[in-house]
């Protein structure tokens, strides 16, 4: 653990990504305790108030301005981060579990099982993932649960392909052959011997998938198929404020900056994790 953080401190991009991710996570966790205005409370008297830092700590301050209904944008962004990060994390975990297990099964059994699973992956990858998500959400209806399932459905593919490749190499290693020799069962070998050795690449994939899923969540919310009002979400904030972009630029700018910084920080951290856990890339650097 100590060597991990020492290596992180030596990487400016990785450290920058880690700090930003930490800020967004803490903001999401502590949102109810930050003393911000209620994100769903309207105040038509203060509608479309411009950002101002005057009287920043006064009760009626709006440092990032208000939207068309007078709701505080900073509060909506912070509380929206809770929704976005919760959905994205749940989808990454669900997709990671399904994809990792199927990748292990495909790589270990090979043969017909491998061919069937990989053809399913190929077929799904041939479909535009956003179109697939739109069709499923339109059929099932917009809800947080359906959104998590749809995003996980578009995520498990990458885990399955990468983990399968790892298992194909690991299954011929001495520790697996030794487990076979002493009569260990198939599931015992897969869970006890193969799974711990593929968790690192799965973690790297999860970090990179998180950024993609945040963008997909924002896109679906923008189209009205994601988180439903009155719950705040970054994509919905962009959709509601786009008609006011020429008169109240802050309504769409700040949610867009929040999406940009979150995706950028996750990508930077994911790239660093990939380089850190890959000895070849670490040697090249």
């Amino acid at each position: 653990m100590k060597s991990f953080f020492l290596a992180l401190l030596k990487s400016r991009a990785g450290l920058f990504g880690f700090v930003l991710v930490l800020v967004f996570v803490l903001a999401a966790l502590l949102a109810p305790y930050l003393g911000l205005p209620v994100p769903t409370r309207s105040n038509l008297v203060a509608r479309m108030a411009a950002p101002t830092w005057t009287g920043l700590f006064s009760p009626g301050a709006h440092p990032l301005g208000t939207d068309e209904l007078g709701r505080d944008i900073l509060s909506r962004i912070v509380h929206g981060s809770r929704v976005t990060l919760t959905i994205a994390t749940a989808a990454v975990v669900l997709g990671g579990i399904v994809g990792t297990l199927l990748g292990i099964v495909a790589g270990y059994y090979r043969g017909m099982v491998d061919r069937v699973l990989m053809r399913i992956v190929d077929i799904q990858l041939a479909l535009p993932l956003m179109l697939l998500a739109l069709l499923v959400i339109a059929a099932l209806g917009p809800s947080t649960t359906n959104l998590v399932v749809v995003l996980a459905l578009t995520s498990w593919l990458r885990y399955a392909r990468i983990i399968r490749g790892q298992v194909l190499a690991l299954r011929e290693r001495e520790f697996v052959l030794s487990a076979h020799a002493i009569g260990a069962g198939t599931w015992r070998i897969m869970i006890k011997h193969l799974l711990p050795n593929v968790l690192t690449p799965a973690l790297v994939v999860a970090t990179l998938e998180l950024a993609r899923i945040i963008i997909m969540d924002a896109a679906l919310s923008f189209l009205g198929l994601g988180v439903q009002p009155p719950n705040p979400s970054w994509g919905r904030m962009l959709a509601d404020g786009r008609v006011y972009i020429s008169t109240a630029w802050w309504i769409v700018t700040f949610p867009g900056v929040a999406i940009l910084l979150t995706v950028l920080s996750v990508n930077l951290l994911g790239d660093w994790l990939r380089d850190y856990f890959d000895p070849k890339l670490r040697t090249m650097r």
Side-chain angles (χ1 to χ4, degrees):
M1 185 63 69
K2 183 179 179 180
S3 61
F4 176 86
F5 283 106
L6 287 176
L8 180 61
L9 290 173
K10 294 178 182 179
S11 171
R12 293 182 180 178
L15 183 61
F16 178 75
F18 176 79
V19 171
L20 272 183
V21 168
L22 186 61
V23 168
F24 278 105
V25 170
L26 289 177
L29 292 175
L30 301 177
Y33 311 104
L34 297 178
L36 296 171
V38 178
T40 57
R41 181 179 297 165
S42 300
N43 181 8
L44 297 181
V45 175
R47 68 185 297 268
M48 291 197 292
T52 177
W53 293 89
T54 304
L56 180 60
F57 299 103
S58 62
H62 302 291
L64 300 185
T66 61
D67 63 9
E68 69 281 3
L69 296 178
R71 298 170 296 191
D72 185 75
I73 290 179
L74 176 60
S75 177
R76 290 180 63 77
I77 289 176
V78 173
H79 284 83
S81 69
R82 290 170 60 86
V83 177
T84 297
L85 293 180
T86 300
I87 291 174
T89 302
V92 165
V93 171
L94 180 59
I97 292 174
V98 173
T100 299
L101 293 178
L102 290 179
I104 292 175
V105 169
Y108 184 80
Y109 281 105
R110 298 189 296 185
M112 182 59 70
V113 174
D114 182 28
R115 288 195 293 272
V116 171
L117 287 175
M118 288 303 103
R119 293 302 77 78
I120 293 174
V121 170
D122 292 338
I123 292 172
Q124 190 168 334
L125 285 175
L127 298 172
L129 296 182
M130 180 56 73
L131 176 60
L132 176 64
L134 288 172
L135 291 175
V136 175
I137 288 289
L140 299 179
S143 71
T144 301
T145 302
N146 291 342
L147 187 59
V148 170
V149 172
V150 166
L151 293 174
L153 185 65
T154 68
S155 176
W156 73 273
L157 314 167
R158 291 169 176 80
Y159 294 95
R161 299 191 78 171
I162 292 175
I163 299 305
R164 169 186 174 270
Q166 295 286 325
V167 172
L168 286 174
L170 289 171
R171 72 188 306 277
E172 305 300 333
R173 298 281 294 273
E174 290 80 2
F175 67 92
V176 176
L177 298 177
S178 299
H180 271 298
I182 63 175
T186 298
W187 284 101
R188 179 180 176 83
I189 292 174
M190 287 193 291
I191 300 301
K192 186 175 181 180
H193 298 283
L194 293 176
L195 180 59
N197 286 280
V198 300
L199 287 180
T200 295
L203 174 63
V204 175
V205 175
T207 308
L208 298 174
E209 277 294 289
L210 183 63
R212 187 187 66 82
I213 287 180
I214 289 173
I215 294 177
M216 284 197 67
D217 169 63
L220 290 172
S221 296
F222 182 88
L223 296 173
L225 297 175
V227 177
Q228 297 300 298
N231 295 321
S233 68
W234 293 343
R236 188 72 188 184
M237 292 174 71
L238 292 177
D240 292 341
R242 70 187 187 279
V243 296
Y244 303 102
I245 192 169
S246 60
T247 56
W249 55 267
W250 54 89
I251 298 179
V252 294
T253 299
F254 292 119
V257 169
I259 296 172
L260 170 66
L261 290 178
T262 305
V263 173
L264 175 63
S265 61
V266 172
N267 276 330
L268 289 175
L269 182 59
D271 287 342
W272 179 81
L273 287 173
R274 180 195 60 196
D275 296 351
Y276 177 80
F277 287 117
D278 191 328
K280 296 179 182 177
L281 293 175
R282 210 187 315 176
T283 302
M284 290 172 62
R285 288 174 179 264

